[in-house]
Amino acid sequence: RIDSANPDGLQVFQLHPGAWHFAAGHVPKLELLGQDSPYARTSNGQFSISVSGLQLRLPVHEQPGSSPVVSSPRPPVKPHPHGAPACVARPTSTINKRRLHGSHRLLVASGTAGERPCAHAAAATRRRQQVQRVYVMIYHPAAHGRCRFLKGNGKFTTPRACTHPIEFRANGTAHWTLRLRIHVPRGSYLVRADAVDGFGRHQRHSAASVAKLRVR
């Protein structure tokens, strides 16, 4: 099975061990199959894979130099030969504080969102790292590190864990806007944007994604 997180990148397979004797003049051949039933279960569907730059390395029992074709072992092959770190990039967002507006009839928030895809990621992975949705939450801190979030009916929740917000989905991604035509009680609140990518990963908290709002 290929690495689904990097379908267009380098794939490394280690064959099951075996002990074979190759007589002089014999040529080992590698056969690539879409199925190997009954040794392995047949695939549920049809598929095709394009292979390029294939390398086959055969470890042998003989010592290096004992034969012209037996060389010293090469370094192990890994998807990232130099130990590239796992991709942990997350989307980001920014609230336009100058255009943030709230009244007892309308709340408007807007901003931008983007992503910083890992340079070593495959094309399919980079596409999924793009921002797919932007949510906005309106809240104010409560006692004991809890929060009260604005609901769709214009009322606020009872104090709850700040990690369980009530969010409103904004229109757009790279440039997003949220317009809520609900009655928002007078007071001071915090507005926070939350960008989500194709993997379902939420952005990390940042100062740029939070703004203060005062409803008069």
Side-chain angles (χ1 to χ4, degrees), residues 40-63:
R41 184 175 64 83
T42 304
S43 174
N44 293 335
Q46 296 181 344
F47 64 92
S48 62
I49 297 177
S50 298
V51 179
S52 62
L54 175 67
Q55 292 186 19
L56 173 62
R57 301 185 181 184
L58 293 177
V60 296
H61 189 68
E62 289 80 6
Q63 293 295 320

Side-chain angles (χ1 to χ4, degrees), residues 26-209:
H26 286 190
V27 178
K29 293 184 179 181
L30 175 67
E31 186 177 24
L32 300 179
L33 298 175
Q35 57 85 23
D36 196 16
S37 179
Y39 178 75
R41 184 175 64 83
T42 304
S43 174
N44 293 335
Q46 296 181 344
F47 64 92
S48 62
I49 297 177
S50 298
V51 179
S52 62
L54 175 67
Q55 292 186 19
L56 173 62
R57 301 185 181 184
L58 293 177
V60 296
H61 189 68
E62 289 80 6
Q63 293 295 320
S66 60
S67 168
V69 297
V70 179
S71 60
S72 299
R74 294 184 178 183
V77 180
K78 299 180 180 179
H80 304 293
H82 302 291
C87 185
V88 294
R90 289 178 179 266
T92 61
S93 68
T94 301
I95 293 180
N96 189 330
K97 298 179 181 179
R98 295 183 177 181
R99 296 187 178 182
L100 183 61
H101 170 75
S103 67
H104 65 284
R105 292 184 179 180
L106 178 67
L107 186 149
V108 179
S110 62
T112 58
E115 58 283 329
R116 299 171 183 171
C118 296
H120 62 269
T125 301
R126 291 196 296 270
R127 286 193 295 269
R128 294 190 64 183
Q129 288 177 331
Q130 296 177 354
V131 175
Q132 301 295 318
R133 304 177 299 279
V134 177
Y135 296 98
V136 179
M137 62 190 82
I138 300 97
Y139 65 100
H140 56 78
H144 307 294
R146 300 169 76 82
C147 297
R148 298 183 64 193
F149 294 94
L150 180 68
K151 299 187 293 185
N153 59 6
K155 298 182 179 180
F156 281 83
T157 64
T158 56
R160 60 196 292 179
C162 296
T163 55
H164 291 80
I166 291 180
E167 299 179 315
F168 301 91
R169 184 168 179 174
N171 292 321
T173 52
H175 297 274
W176 57 266
T177 301
L178 175 70
R179 299 176 66 89
L180 291 179
R181 295 187 178 277
I182 60 176
H183 174 75
V184 182
R186 290 183 174 87
S188 296
Y189 308 103
L190 293 175
V191 179
R192 179 182 168 190
D194 180 22
V196 183
D197 66 11
F199 288 103
R201 295 182 295 200
H202 294 250
Q203 71 170 80
R204 291 188 173 90
H205 181 82
S206 68
S209 63

